[in-house]
Amino acid sequence: MTEDKPRLFSAQLRDDLYRKRVLVLDGPLDDDNGTVLMTQMLSLAADSDEDIALWIHSPGGSVPAMLAIRDVMRLVPGDVSTLALGLACSAGQFLLSSGAPGKRRALPHARILMHQGSSGIAGSAVEVEVQADDLRYTRDTVLGLIAEDTGQDINRIFTDSLHDRWFTAAQAREYGFIDAVVDRFGQIGPTHKRQFGISA
């Protein structure tokens, strides 16, 4: 019998970063951690209109969660900067390129993956048809937003996303996923120290 390895990225570490207005997507994006990121973003925005940072190290995950997070990123009054730490795949790539223009970055050896994802369609013929229509709508929505965020033509985005396409940090900058490759700490270092329960 094997025991689950304890997570080293503890709640305390997350809270320390949260107080500095830094949120982290580590691992797959699902409905649970997606909701956490959305509510944290909204909470920080209610506290101040200063920038919020979203750091990403993720193999991808839930499409509804990533679309909802993007909606919140556009809704909050301050900018949401994004940073690819090591891996930003699929939903991770989408959130990375959804950051505020001029504030999307990647570490030098980060890898970014764009693809359309899997469908998971099953059921009766009628159910398959309905699912296929919904899948096409979602695909077109996602690819349209990627085109908007990168400045690429929608037809190129569609073609490039048909199969897994990997990008280095430099290639991601050229393609439009990010604006810069990090070369100094000052570009990403959290500086805000949020105070709780303390009045001036």
Side-chain angles (χ1 to χ4, degrees):
M1 183 177 177
T2 59
E3 295 183 3
D4 291 337
K5 180 180 178 181
R7 291 181 66 86
L8 299 179
F9 194 13
S10 66
Q12 180 61 55
L13 287 174
R14 291 180 191 278
D15 187 59
D16 289 345
L17 288 169
Y18 175 75
R19 290 168 182 268
K20 297 178 174 67
R21 303 182 70 80
V22 175
L23 308 179
V24 182
L25 171 59
D26 63 314
L29 174 66
D30 56 34
D31 293 336
D32 184 47
N33 60 10
T35 301
V36 170
L37 288 173
M38 285 181 270
T39 54
Q40 286 182 323
M41 210 172 287
L42 290 166
S43 175
L44 288 171
D47 178 63
S48 167
D49 61 1
E50 293 181 62
D51 284 8
I52 298 168
L54 175 61
W55 293 355
I56 300 164
H57 182 68
S58 172
S62 168
V63 173
M66 80 179 191
L67 286 169
I69 292 171
R70 188 187 193 279
D71 286 344
V72 173
M73 291 168 72
R74 291 294 187 273
L75 183 65
V76 296
D79 288 343
V80 179
S81 66
T82 53
L83 170 68
L85 296 173
L87 193 66
C89 299
S90 194
Q93 167 269 303
F94 180 86
L95 292 175
L96 174 66
S97 59
S98 294
K103 298 181 180 182
R104 306 170 304 169
R105 298 183 175 88
L107 294 180
H109 292 98
R111 296 281 281 172
I112 291 88
L113 170 69
M114 178 174 68
H115 68 178
Q116 291 188 18
S118 56
S119 63
I121 291 179
S124 68
V126 173
E127 290 171 337
V128 166
E129 183 177 354
V130 171
Q131 291 177 64
D133 286 343
D134 183 65
L135 178 63
R136 280 190 291 269
Y137 170 80
T138 301
R139 177 202 65 193
D140 292 347
T141 298
V142 170
L143 296 183
L145 291 171
I146 294 174
E148 177 184 320
D149 291 339
T150 61
Q152 295 287 352
D153 180 79
I154 183 63
N155 293 320
R156 181 177 183 185
I157 295 292
F158 180 86
T159 301
D160 289 347
S161 66
L162 287 173
H163 304 284
D164 287 1
R165 176 151 185 196
W166 288 94
F167 297 79
T168 64
Q171 290 168 339
R173 178 183 57 201
E174 182 179 344
Y175 200 83
F177 291 133
I178 60 173
D179 303 297
V181 179
V182 175
D183 59 12
R184 64 182 186 278
F185 179 72
Q187 294 172 325
I188 61 169
T191 57
H192 181 94
K193 295 183 179 179
R194 192 180 193 215
Q195 299 297 318
F196 290 82
I198 300 175
S199 58

